[in-house]
Amino acid sequence: MLAEVEGLDFERPVVQLEKKIEELKNLDVNEKVDFSQEITSLEKKCEKLKKEIFGNLTPWQKVQLARHPQRPYTLDYINLLMSDFVELQGDRGFADDPAMVTGMAKFKEETVVVIGHQKGRTLQENMVRNFGMAHPEGYRKALRTMKLAEKFSIPIISFIDTPGAYPGIGAEERGQAEAIARNLKAMSELEVPIIVVIVGEGGSGGALGIGVGDKVLMLENAIYSVISPEGCASILWRDAAKAPEAAKALKLTAQDLLGLKVIDEIIDEPLGGVHRDIEFVGRHLEKKIKRYLNELKNLSVEELLRKRYQKFRLLGEFIEVQPSRKEKTEIKKEKK
Amino acid sequence: MPVEEPGGKKSVPGGLWTKCEKCNEIIYNKELGKSFKVCPKCGYYFRLTPKQRIKLLLDRGSFRENYANLKPSDPLGFVAVQSYKNKVKQDQKKTGLSEAVISGEGRIGKHKVAIAILDFDFMGGSMASVVGERVTRLIEKAIKKRIPVVIVSSSGGARMQEGVLSLMQMAKTSAALGLLDRGKIPFISILTNPTTGGVSASFAMLGDVIIAEPRALIGFAGPRVIEQTIRQKLPEGFQTSEFLLKHGLIDMIVERKDLKNTIVRILNLFSS
């Protein structure tokens, strides 16, 4: 898989070196010449290089990794972590939206409802998947299957990976804003556990539209932001080329968001990103989802909803100054 | 969800006369006041400040502001060309408000209500931590006191300078409206020009009754973003109140002069 694509600018030295090692290994087999020493030394060099390049990624580099053309998508995680997946399609109102995948599957012997944005791997696929940008019917389909989960007491797992909800004529005609808003309210009230995993791009309202849950996990190099760095740069810097600065200012990395309590836990990726070893992430993710599902199942519905409400209720930072004397008398009056 | 700044639009100058922003008609200020800031010639809706909106909707002298003690901080230490801190100070000075929303309690035709009014002149009416917190506290208070909620929106969306925390206010306010539902307490959402982005994609579109002022821009994405994405010109009247009404997304369009009366009639029906 790696040899086919050049990779991102900053990962190219690693990709090239890996390609060379691969070639030597092939020669080693075919020509019956012993390159093993050279291979070992190159492999060492490669490991060092990986640490140098990937050990301290900037927010902008993480944005690029989150959008990496080889990054695993929702269906990749469903295939990896689940079995017996049955896709459920259509919003029962207008259309099926292939930018959103929903269905039922087995996760560790247990039935779950799974929803997630789905990007395409090729241009043709993206014509269908719309680059993972859902229309209102995508959000309505997700809500429909989540209601199904609630009806049969099935927990929900949501994978987030979208540049944003689609900004188009049809999307506006059919109420993109309403579809997202309705999901936010409905997800805060669904009487089954919801685990959200941000696996790639968490693009604003389009991400949050399936992002309200009891636990929010995030892959190490995923991003989650109120606006794309390019959009932010073009408005606040009046120059889209300042996207790397905007990426830094927006505090959109998993590490930033853990600090702001927007997410509960970071899922480690292998050095250089999940596309280099999806199994690595799969093992961690499986363990974490299992643990949280067990934890959440032990809560009463009341407790589950109370905690979910509080989780989002507490987000935000502001200064609360002492109410003025006049305000205090008002408050006293009210209490009486 | 970007917040578009009001692009170089002149505020209504003091003095005797005002020039209509749309048809350039010179209007006598007294006349403009009488028509609730609607151009008598072309029907253009000037923006109302929250104070003017309170005067328009609430029974005289009944408004009591709450949560004014919540002030914006700078959780991300955000600096672009201009720092967030400076921008906030500048807009506080410009509007005389501490944030992009005023919340409080008052009476509309004798009905006690919890009301919030967003101000587009304060950072594009954008929602960040304080707006989200004031709206949420207002809804929670309305549940406790069992009084209807009225929110007048005008906003470009979630505020960039508080990053994902702004986004999370969408979830927070919407969840609070979920509790309001369970309390079976009505929420009337009033959409004014413009209501887009994270505000339309949260509480603004969740009203039990949704009323829009005529010809307001209402939508999820801003028209420029859509044009850039689809690379074609948008149809005439796209994303106006009239467009939303036609597509079944709002209940009604009500002229400013009839707005209070309409709300009273609706509250009467809910309260009997």
Side-chain angles (χ1 to χ4, degrees):
Chain A
M1 200 158 148
L2 276 173
E4 296 161 11
V5 176
E6 287 278 293
L8 304 170
D9 276 351
F10 65 88
E11 62 175 355
R12 202 159 293 152
V14 173
V15 174
Q16 278 165 354
L17 197 56
E18 281 174 339
K19 212 170 159 186
K20 210 169 179 182
I21 294 169
E22 199 65 28
E23 278 166 14
L24 277 182
K25 279 184 179 165
N26 283 340
L27 274 180
D28 207 40
V29 177
N30 297 337
E31 311 279 323
K32 292 178 184 149
V33 195
D34 186 19
F35 287 116
S36 59
Q37 259 188 337
E38 184 146 20
I39 290 172
T40 317
S41 109
L42 277 180
E43 277 175 342
K44 263 190 198 153
K45 197 179 155 194
C46 190
E47 279 311 303
K48 209 180 137 213
L49 193 64
K50 275 207 261 183
K51 265 182 204 143
E52 272 171 30
I53 293 177
F54 300 136
N56 204 6
L57 294 168
T58 64
W60 179 241
Q61 285 173 324
K62 291 195 175 188
V63 170
Q64 290 171 284
L65 277 184
R67 298 171 178 168
H68 198 290
Q70 291 169 332
R71 197 169 174 88
Y73 300 145
T74 293
L75 281 172
D76 298 315
Y77 290 104
I78 291 175
N79 288 333
L80 186 71
L81 300 172
M82 295 166 194
S83 62
D84 307 292
F85 175 60
V86 175
E87 186 175 357
L88 303 173
Q89 298 176 76
D91 72 342
R92 300 287 197 269
F94 180 75
D96 181 49
D97 186 349
M100 183 81 73
V101 164
T102 67
M104 299 167 79
K106 287 266 185 220
F107 172 76
K108 302 254 118 193
E109 313 298 314
E110 183 183 6
T111 300
V112 294
V113 158
V114 56
I115 61 177
H117 307 98
Q118 181 64 39
K119 293 180 177 175
R121 192 67 64 191
T122 62
L123 189 62
Q124 286 96 318
E125 266 180 44
N126 267 323
M127 301 288 279
V128 177
R129 301 286 185 190
N130 200 28
F131 300 88
M133 294 185 283
H135 280 74
E137 39 282 12
Y139 295 98
R140 290 177 182 139
K141 173 170 70 170
L143 183 58
R144 177 177 79 82
T145 48
M146 287 191 282
K147 289 277 185 195
L148 181 141
E150 186 179 49
K151 181 172 168 186
F152 296 100
S153 302
I154 301 169
I156 298 162
I157 298 170
S158 173
F159 292 105
I160 289 185
D161 188 16
T162 179
Y166 188 63
I169 291 178
E172 296 290 329
E173 283 174 342
R174 300 192 292 279
Q176 187 73 285
E178 191 273 347
I180 291 171
R182 186 198 296 236
N183 277 18
L184 301 183
K185 187 165 86 171
M187 288 183 88
S188 75
E189 301 181 300
L190 279 171
E191 297 183 347
V192 289
I194 306 171
I195 293 178
V196 176
V197 191
I198 302 149
V199 294
E201 276 185 282
S204 201
L208 186 63
I210 56 165
V212 177
D214 303 297
K215 293 287 169 193
V216 181
L217 316 179
M218 185 162 172
L219 262 59
E220 190 184 346
N221 297 312
I223 57 164
Y224 196 7
S225 182
V226 66
I227 183 170
S228 73
E230 291 89 341
C232 179
S234 67
I235 297 171
L236 290 182
W237 277 263
R238 306 203 181 284
D239 179 6
K242 298 276 194 239
E245 273 104 315
K248 190 166 169 233
L250 282 166
K251 301 274 190 289
L252 45 64
T253 70
Q255 294 71 21
D256 291 327
L257 297 179
L258 189 67
L260 293 169
K261 300 201 170 85
V262 170
I263 61 165
D264 296 288
E265 196 164 338
I266 297 173
I267 307 293
D268 288 339
E269 292 185 32
L271 213 51
V274 57
H275 59 290
R276 303 182 139 265
D277 187 359
I278 184 178
E279 310 265 329
F280 176 95
V281 169
R283 283 191 299 274
H284 284 264
L285 204 47
E286 190 180 82
K287 233 190 281 168
K288 293 283 155 67
I289 293 176
K290 199 179 160 196
R291 204 187 80 205
Y292 284 128
L293 277 184
N294 285 335
E295 201 181 297
L296 294 168
K297 261 190 287 182
N298 286 327
L299 300 175
S300 67
V301 169
E302 258 168 34
E303 187 76 342
L304 183 76
L305 294 188
R306 195 186 59 78
K307 281 191 163 177
R308 192 185 303 154
Y309 185 78
Q310 278 307 314
K311 177 180 172 57
F312 288 86
R313 180 67 189 84
L314 294 173
L315 292 177
E317 284 182 25
F318 47 83
I319 300 160
E320 186 159 14
V321 296
Q322 282 291 317
S324 67
R325 223 213 213 137
K326 195 175 141 216
E327 282 166 335
K328 269 187 190 163
T329 25
E330 292 277 331
I331 292 167
K332 261 190 202 159
K333 259 197 234 161
E334 253 170 41
K335 278 186 182 155
K336 278 177 193 168
Chain B
M1 253 165 276
V3 172
E4 284 171 29
E5 300 289 326
K9 222 171 246 173
K10 276 169 254 148
S11 53
V12 183
L16 281 176
W17 305 91
T18 298
K19 194 168 156 190
C20 175
E21 288 164 19
K22 187 134 186 250
C23 72
N24 290 330
E25 174 84 355
I26 307 286
I27 314 159
Y28 190 38
N29 274 352
K30 255 196 184 156
E31 197 182 351
L32 196 60
K34 263 192 232 156
S35 67
F36 307 99
K37 289 180 85 178
V38 178
C39 174
K41 190 180 173 209
C42 74
Y44 174 78
Y45 272 53
F46 286 83
R47 204 172 285 144
L48 292 184
T49 65
K51 270 198 185 137
Q52 291 166 333
R53 185 66 68 178
I54 288 166
K55 220 173 143 191
L56 174 76
L57 295 183
L58 294 179
D59 298 353
R60 204 160 160 190
S62 70
F63 181 73
R64 295 283 173 277
E65 187 178 356
N66 53 24
Y67 314 126
N69 60 321
L70 305 180
K71 316 273 185 201
S73 67
D74 179 16
L76 309 188
F78 196 100
V79 179
V81 173
Q82 189 181 22
S83 76
Y84 178 39
K85 276 203 169 114
N86 273 337
K87 178 67 182 155
V88 165
K89 266 189 210 148
Q90 191 186 314
D91 282 20
Q92 283 174 336
K93 224 172 152 188
K94 183 173 87 181
T95 59
L97 302 175
S98 61
E99 252 289 355
V101 71
I102 275 196
S103 63
E105 287 175 56
R107 285 170 192 274
I108 300 181
K110 303 215 170 88
H111 294 280
K112 275 189 187 169
V113 295
I115 183 164
I117 300 160
L118 277 73
D119 186 4
F120 194 79
D121 285 332
F122 191 106
M123 295 195 75
S126 58
M127 174 158 64
S129 298
V130 171
V131 173
E133 185 69 21
R134 283 186 186 167
V135 168
T136 305
R137 285 194 192 187
L138 186 80
I139 296 166
E140 288 172 341
K141 180 174 260 187
I143 296 168
K144 228 179 247 164
K145 295 182 117 178
R146 303 202 57 79
I147 54 174
V149 176
V150 176
I151 301 180
V152 184
S153 294
S154 62
S155 172
R159 189 176 301 163
M160 289 176 278
Q161 290 93 334
E162 291 191 23
V164 174
L165 290 180
S166 301
L167 190 69
M168 292 303 133
Q169 305 311 309
M170 294 167 61
K172 185 163 119 182
T173 52
S174 301
L177 287 174
L179 294 187
L180 192 75
D181 281 354
R182 281 191 221 181
K184 302 198 189 301
I185 296 162
F187 165 36
I188 300 177
S189 178
I190 320 271
L191 313 180
T192 72
N193 185 43
T195 300
T196 60
V199 165
S200 69
S202 61
F203 58 82
M205 289 307 290
L206 291 174
D208 293 305
V209 177
I210 304 179
I211 303 172
E213 285 198 335
R215 296 174 294 283
L217 172 76
I218 303 162
F220 174 67
R224 263 192 306 169
V225 174
I226 298 173
E227 266 181 351
Q228 280 164 11
T229 307
I230 64 173
R231 291 167 203 281
Q232 63 187 71
K233 259 196 93 57
L234 298 172
E236 182 75 24
F238 182 64
Q239 291 185 309
T240 56
S241 309
E242 293 72 19
F243 172 92
L244 267 84
L245 185 70
K246 186 180 148 213
H247 285 95
L249 298 168
I250 57 174
D251 290 288
M252 63 192 91
I253 297 171
V254 176
E255 301 250 359
R256 201 171 267 172
K257 64 176 169 53
D258 301 325
L259 195 53
K260 179 173 181 175
N261 235 329
T262 307
I263 298 173
V264 172
R265 278 171 52 212
I266 293 167
L267 290 177
N268 284 343
L269 292 170
F270 275 118
S271 65
S272 68

